[in-house]
C-alpha cells in the first residue's frame, strides 16, 4: 500500500500558504500523464516525485497532478492538457508515442535499448541508463578489479552519499518498498520537471522540452549535476554493486577516460 | 581599600558574572569519531577531545559564550558543554536528525531537521520546543541576522531559502536559488544574505526585502561543490568552502568574482572566522584536519589534526 504522509498534511498547510503567497505568485497547475505496464516501481517513484513537487509547490503557489492512463485508453486519450508523459512501456509503444506527440516531452523510465538513444528521438528523455552505460561502467570497474562480478545500477537502497540516504529514507517511508532504478527514474523525471516549472514558470510542453534538453542542471541526489545528451539520455553517475553491496561509483576514478560522465554509454546519433 | 578602585572592581565583578571571559578555544565536531576536538586558540593545538555521542554535526555557542551546543544527529539530541571545564552539562531532545543550527541573540536555537522537512526552535535552558516551522525537503543551513529579526533556513531538495520572521516564527518569503542550497550568512545590517548551492556550484547574493537573488557567482570548477560561507569583518570579502575542490574560494562580496583559491585539506565544508576577522578556520572532512588561514595574506598558516570527518566548527572568542 502506498502511504503518502507528505500528501496527508498538505491541504491545511497549502491553504494557509496559498492565501499568504497569492499576492506574490501567480497560481500554476500542471498535470503529468503516466502510462505504464506491469512493474509498479516507476509509478511509485513518480508518486514520490509528485508529493515532493507539491511540497515545493506550496511555497510557490504551484500544484502538480497526475493522470494514470490505462493501456486501453492510451491511443484515444486527449494529451493536450499534459506538461509531459511519463512512460514505462515496451519499445514499440514508446516509439509510437514519441512520433504521435512530437512536441511533448516523453520520459522513458524503463527501456535500456541503445537504439532508442542512437536514433536521437527529439522529444525522448531517457532517465534510465542505457545498456551501453551499464556495460561501460562494469568494464571500467573490471579494469580496476579484473575478477570482479559487479553489475551497474542507476540507484541502490543502501546508497547514502550526496543525500541519497535522505531520498531512500523518505521513499521507503511512503512507498513501503526500497527505491530501485525504476522508482528513482520516476522520481527524477517528476523532480526535474517541477524544478524547471518552479524556476521558469514554464507550463508549455514544447518549452519544457527545450529547457530540459538545453539548460537543465539537475540534482538527482547522486552528487553530480545532470543534464541530457544529444541522444536524449540523462548523463549520470552509476553504482557498481557486488553481492548487493555498493563497491564503487562509475565513472570509476583513475580509470574512466574521459574522466567524465561521458565515459559511460554511447554519445552520438546514428545519422 | 582605596575608594577610587571601587568602580574598577565593580566593573570587573559585573563583567565576569555577566560575560565570562571567552576561552579562545576552537571547537570542532568529528562526524565519524563521535567526538569534539578542542583546539587552543593560543597554541593552535588540540588540547582535549570530548566523547560526545553518535554523529555530531552542528555546533554553536550561547550568545554570552558560556555554553557550547552540539547537535548529536543519530541520537536526536543537542548536548550542552561547558566551554571552560569541557564537561557535558545536560542534553535535550531536538527532533529528528538535528543537523545544522544557529543560536539567536535571545538564546533560542533554530535547528534544521533534515528528515522531517521542518525547522524547530528550542530554548536550550529548558530544552523545550518553542516553535516549529514547516519548510522544504532536506532543510540544511540555518543563518540568523545579527539583529535577530530574521532567520534563513535552506532546503536542499526544494532549492530554496526560507526567510523566517523570528518574531512570530512564520515564513516571510521563499527564494528559489541554485540546486542544493547548503549554507547562508547575513550581513551585519541583515538586509543582504549570501548562500551557496552545492550542485549548481553557485554563490548567490540575496536582497532580503525584495526576496530576490541580486547577484550570482560560481566557484569556478566542476569539482567545487560549495558548502559553508562566511563574510570578512569589513564585509568586503566572502569565504566559501569549496568541498571536493579542496580549496577555500575567496570572492569579492560585491561582484562575487573570485579573488583567490586557498588550497586546504580534502572535502572542506565547515568555516568559522574569528571576531577580529584575522583567522579563518576550516574543517577538512576527508583529511581529518582543520586548516588555519591568515586572512591578511589569505594563506594557510597551520594544519591541525583532529578526529575523523570534522564537520562543524565554532570559535569561543
Amino acid at each position: 500500500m502506498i502511504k503518502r504522509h507528505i500528501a496527508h498534511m498538505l491541504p491545511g498547510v497549502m491553504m494557509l500558504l496559498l492565501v499568504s503567497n497569492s499576492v506574490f505568485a501567480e497560481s500554476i497547475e500542471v498535470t503529468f500523464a503516466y502510462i505504464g505496464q506491469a512493474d509498479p516501481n516507476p509509478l511509485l517513484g513518480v508518486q514520490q516525485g509528485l508529493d515532493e513537487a507539491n511540497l515545493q509547490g506550496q511555497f510557490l503557489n504551484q500544484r502538480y497532478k497526475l493522470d494514470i492512463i490505462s493501456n486501453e485508453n492510451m491511443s484515444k486519450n486527449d494529451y493536450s492538457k499534459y506538461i509531459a508523459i511519463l512512460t514505462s512501456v515496451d519499445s514499440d509503444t514508446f516509439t509510437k508515442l514519441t512520433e504521435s506527440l512530437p512536441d511533448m516531452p516523453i520520459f522513458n523510465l524503463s527501456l535500456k535499448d541503445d537504439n532508442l538513444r542512437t536514433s536521437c528521438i527529439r522529444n525522448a528523455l531517457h532517465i534510465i541508463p542505457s545498456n551501453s552505460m551499464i556495460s561501460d561502467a562494469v568494464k571500467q570497474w573490471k579494469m580496476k578489479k579484473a575478477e570482479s562480478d559487479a553489475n551497474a545500477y542507476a540507484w541502490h537502497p543502501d546508497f547514502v552519499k550526496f543525500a541519497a540516504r535522505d531520498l531512500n529514507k523518505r521513499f521507503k517511508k511512503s512507498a513501503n518498498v526500497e527505491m530501485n532504478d525504476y522508482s528513482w527514474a520516476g522520481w527524477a523525471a517528476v523532480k526535474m520537471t517541477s524544478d524547471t516549472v518552479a524556476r521558469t514558470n514554464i507550463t508549455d510542453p514544447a518549452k519544457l522540452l527545450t529547457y530540459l534538453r538545453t539548460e537543465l542542471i539537475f540534482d538527482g541526489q547522486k552528487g553530480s549535476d545532470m543534464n541530457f545528451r544529444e541522444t536524449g539520455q540523462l548523463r549520470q553517475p552509476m553504482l557498481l554493486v557486488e553481492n548487493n553491496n555498493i563497491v564503487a561509483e562509475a565513472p570509476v576514478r583513475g580509470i574512466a577516460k574521459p574522466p567524465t560522465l561521458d565515459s559511460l554509454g554511447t554519445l552520438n546519433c546514428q545519422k | 581599600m582605596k575608594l577610587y578602585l571601587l568602580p574598577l572592581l565593580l566593573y570587573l565583578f559585573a563583567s565576569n558574572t555577566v560575560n565570562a571571559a571567552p576561552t579562545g578555544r576552537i571547537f570542532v565536531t568529528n562526524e565519524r569519531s563521535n567526538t569534539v576536538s578542542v583546539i587552543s586558540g593560543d597554541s593552535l593545538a588540540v588540547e582535549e577531545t570530548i566523547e560526545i555521542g553518535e554523529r555530531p554535526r552542528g555546533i554553536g555557542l550561547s550568545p554570552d559564550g558560556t555554553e557550547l551546543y552540539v547537535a548529536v544527529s543519530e541520537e536526536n539530541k543537542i548536548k550542552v558543554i561547558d566551554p571552560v571545564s569541557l564537561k557535558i552539562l545536560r542534553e535535550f531532545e531536538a527532533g529528528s536528525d538535528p543537523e545544522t543550527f544557529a543560536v539567536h541573540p535571545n538564546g533560542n536555537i533554530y535547528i534544521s531537521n533534515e528528515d522531517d522537512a521542518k525547522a524547530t526552535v528550542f530554548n536550550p535552558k529548558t530544552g523545550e520546543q518553542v516553535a516549529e516551522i514547516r519548510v522544504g525537503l532536506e532543510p540544511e543551513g540555518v543563518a540568523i541576522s545579527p539583529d535577530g529579526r530574521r532567520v534563513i533556513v535552506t532546503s536542499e531538495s526544494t532549492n530554496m531559502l526560507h526567510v523566517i520572521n523570528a518574531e512570530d516564527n512564520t515564513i516571510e518569503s521563499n527564494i528559489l536559488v541554485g540546486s542544493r542550497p547548503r549554507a547562508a550568512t547575513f550581513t551585519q545590517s541583515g538586509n543582504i544574505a549570501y548562500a551557496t548551492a552545492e550542485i549548481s556550484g553557485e554563490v548567490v547574493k540575496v536582497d532580503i526585502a525584495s526576496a530576490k537573488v541580486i547577484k550570482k557567482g560560481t566557484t569556478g570548477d566542476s569539482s567545487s561543490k560549495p558548502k559553508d560561507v562566511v563574510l570578512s569583518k569589513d564585509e568586503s570579502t566572502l569565504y566559501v568552502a569549496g568541498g571536493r575542490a579542496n580549496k577555500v574560494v575567496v570572492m569579492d562580496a560585491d561582484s562575487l568574482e573570485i579573488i583567490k583559491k586557498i588550497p586546504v585539506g580534502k572535502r572542506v565544508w565547515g568555516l568559522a572566522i574569528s571576531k577580529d576577522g584575522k583567522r579563518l578556520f576550516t574543517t577538512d572532512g576527508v583529511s581529518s584536519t582543520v586548516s588555519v588561514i591568515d586572512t591578511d595574506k589569505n594563506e594557510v598558516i597551520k594544519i591541525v589534526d583532529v578526529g575523523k570527518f570534522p564537520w562543524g566548527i565554532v570559535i569561543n572568542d
Side-chain angles (χ1 to χ4, degrees):
Chain A
M1 285 306 290
I2 305 156
K3 283 188 269 166
R4 293 198 275 146
H5 297 263
I6 296 172
H8 289 157
M9 68 189 197
L10 271 178
V13 182
M14 262 172 59
M15 278 314 292
L16 262 176
L17 283 149
L18 281 174
V19 173
S20 62
N21 269 1
S22 54
V23 202
F24 307 102
E26 204 181 309
S27 162
I28 284 179
E29 183 174 297
V30 298
T31 307
F32 294 91
Y34 176 83
I35 305 170
Q37 288 160 1
D39 181 8
N41 286 292
L43 181 57
L44 289 173
V46 164
Q47 280 161 333
Q48 181 68 29
L50 215 67
D51 285 349
E52 296 183 10
N54 278 316
L55 196 145
Q56 179 179 56
Q58 66 178 304
F59 299 112
L60 300 169
N61 203 3
Q62 298 181 348
R63 290 187 67 195
Y64 296 86
K65 293 165 73 178
L66 177 70
D67 278 359
I68 300 171
I69 318 280
S70 67
N71 286 319
E72 304 85 76
N73 291 337
M74 193 172 68
S75 52
K76 53 179 187 265
N77 194 69
D78 172 15
Y79 291 95
S80 63
K81 63 172 170 168
Y82 302 120
I83 189 160
I85 302 176
L86 310 153
T87 71
S88 168
V89 293
D90 60 77
S91 176
D92 277 353
T93 311
F94 182 78
T95 309
K96 278 178 197 147
L97 265 170
T98 58
E99 284 165 359
S100 63
L101 299 162
D103 292 325
M104 176 72 74
I106 317 254
F107 285 97
N108 165 20
L109 310 180
S110 60
L111 298 166
K112 298 176 183 174
D113 314 43
D114 279 295
N115 63 1
L116 290 176
R117 278 72 176 176
T118 52
S119 56
C120 292
I121 305 164
R122 62 173 291 281
N123 57 335
L125 299 159
H126 309 286
I127 307 298
I128 201 84
S130 65
N131 285 320
S132 65
M133 289 171 76
I134 294 170
S135 61
D136 284 347
V138 172
K139 256 185 243 163
Q140 287 181 10
W141 179 238
K142 284 195 172 175
M143 284 168 78
K144 202 163 192 169
K145 207 179 154 204
E147 73 281 13
S148 173
D149 188 26
N151 204 347
Y153 294 92
W155 192 256
H156 193 277
D158 294 338
F159 196 36
V160 294
K161 283 165 75 179
F162 314 118
R165 171 187 165 276
D166 300 279
L167 178 55
N168 270 321
K169 239 177 153 169
R170 60 181 186 260
F171 180 75
K172 179 85 194 284
K173 198 174 165 187
S174 54
N176 257 350
V177 292
E178 288 181 325
M179 185 167 252
N180 66 10
D181 288 29
Y182 304 101
S183 40
W184 178 80
W187 168 85
V190 176
K191 173 96 172 12
M192 66 177 68
T193 304
S194 62
D195 277 3
T196 302
V197 173
R199 281 186 202 295
T200 62
N201 289 345
I202 286 174
T203 54
D204 174 62
K207 284 183 184 155
L208 173 69
L209 180 64
T210 305
Y211 187 95
L212 290 175
R213 291 196 64 145
T214 57
E215 290 184 59
L216 182 71
I217 303 174
F218 178 57
D219 169 23
Q221 313 221 169
K222 295 207 273 182
S224 299
D225 51 306
M226 302 182 194
N227 49 32
F228 285 96
R229 288 178 184 151
E230 195 190 350
T231 60
Q233 173 66 53
L234 185 68
R235 290 185 174 91
Q236 60 189 292
M238 304 204 45
L239 302 171
L240 289 149
V241 177
E242 263 180 53
N243 302 320
N244 207 26
N245 292 315
I246 301 167
V247 289
E249 288 156 36
V252 177
R253 235 181 263 178
I255 302 285
K257 285 175 192 139
T260 65
L261 297 178
D262 278 347
S263 65
L264 305 174
T266 50
L267 307 181
N268 301 318
C269 303
Q270 277 173 1
K271 286 179 178 161
Chain B
M1 187 169 62
K2 297 269 178 18
L3 265 177
Y4 62 80
L5 279 178
L6 196 60
L8 177 66
L9 282 170
L10 278 172
Y11 169 75
L12 285 172
F13 178 71
S15 63
N16 266 338
T17 49
V18 177
N19 270 319
T23 61
R25 287 164 161 160
I26 298 101
F27 296 92
V28 181
T29 53
N30 301 303
E31 189 180 358
R32 297 268 176 92
S33 300
N34 302 330
T35 56
V36 172
S37 297
V38 185
I39 298 171
S40 159
D42 297 327
S43 67
L44 296 178
V46 172
E47 54 174 290
E48 193 148 335
T49 302
I50 307 166
E51 297 288 334
I52 190 75
E54 222 179 313
R55 204 177 183 204
R57 292 194 284 176
I59 189 163
L61 284 155
S62 62
D64 64 3
T66 59
E67 290 191 335
L68 177 70
Y69 307 119
V70 177
V72 185
S73 296
E74 288 295 317
E75 298 181 14
N76 301 329
K77 280 176 184 154
I78 298 273
K79 297 194 182 180
V80 184
I81 298 171
D82 178 345
V84 180
S85 71
L86 305 181
K87 297 268 184 297
I88 297 175
L89 301 173
R90 60 184 190 278
E91 59 181 46
F92 58 90
E93 297 289 329
S96 174
D97 199 15
E99 184 171 354
T100 310
F101 65 83
V103 185
H104 192 276
N106 68 13
N108 285 343
I109 296 179
Y110 283 74
I111 307 176
S112 60
N113 294 102
E114 193 164 23
D115 278 0
D116 272 356
K118 69 183 185 189
T120 42
V121 188
F122 283 89
N123 177 342
K125 301 291 173 195
T126 62
E128 276 167 24
Q129 184 178 309
V130 179
E132 178 181 305
I133 306 137
R134 287 267 153 209
V135 294
L137 283 169
E138 297 171 30
E140 166 101 10
V142 185
I144 300 179
S145 63
D147 63 9
R149 279 175 64 197
R150 291 190 178 96
V151 181
I152 288 177
V153 174
T154 73
S155 52
E156 292 184 313
S157 194
T158 310
N159 308 322
M160 275 178 199
L161 311 183
H162 305 281
V163 181
I164 296 161
N165 180 333
E167 209 164 292
D168 56 6
N169 290 315
T170 57
I171 293 180
E172 185 178 286
S173 62
N174 301 289
I175 308 167
L176 267 173
V177 294
S179 286
R180 200 151 277 275
R182 298 210 69 183
T185 192
F186 278 95
T187 57
Q188 276 300 319
S189 71
N191 296 332
I192 299 285
Y194 295 89
T196 56
E198 185 182 23
I199 293 292
S200 56
E202 286 173 327
V203 178
V204 293
K205 186 176 183 179
V206 168
D207 178 67
I208 296 296
S210 66
K212 291 229 154 50
V213 173
I214 51 172
K215 194 141 272 180
K216 260 190 220 179
T218 71
T219 46
D221 67 86
S222 62
S223 64
S224 179
K225 305 292 185 196
K227 197 194 177 261
D228 272 7
V229 53
V230 298
L231 262 173
S232 65
K233 201 182 174 205
D234 66 3
E235 302 194 338
S236 68
T237 311
L238 206 59
Y239 294 95
V240 178
R244 286 179 192 275
N246 311 328
K247 291 180 183 90
V248 169
V249 182
V250 186
M251 299 175 118
D252 181 297
D254 184 42
S255 67
L256 296 187
E257 270 162 28
I258 297 171
I259 298 166
K260 187 176 180 179
K261 293 184 178 182
I262 310 168
V264 292
K266 288 183 183 164
R267 206 212 66 184
V268 53
W269 272 3
L271 293 179
I273 194 161
S274 61
K275 277 201 177 125
D276 65 10
K278 291 186 184 309
R279 295 275 180 275
L280 179 71
F281 296 83
T282 72
T283 58
D284 313 330
V286 175
S287 303
S288 299
T289 55
V290 165
S291 299
V292 187
I293 291 167
D294 175 330
T295 56
D296 284 337
K297 299 180 191 141
N298 282 337
E299 280 169 11
V300 173
I301 53 164
K302 176 136 193 190
I303 297 165
V304 187
D305 288 319
V306 292
K308 280 187 207 152
F309 279 71
W311 200 97
I313 186 161
V314 70
I315 310 167
N316 185 206
D317 63 349

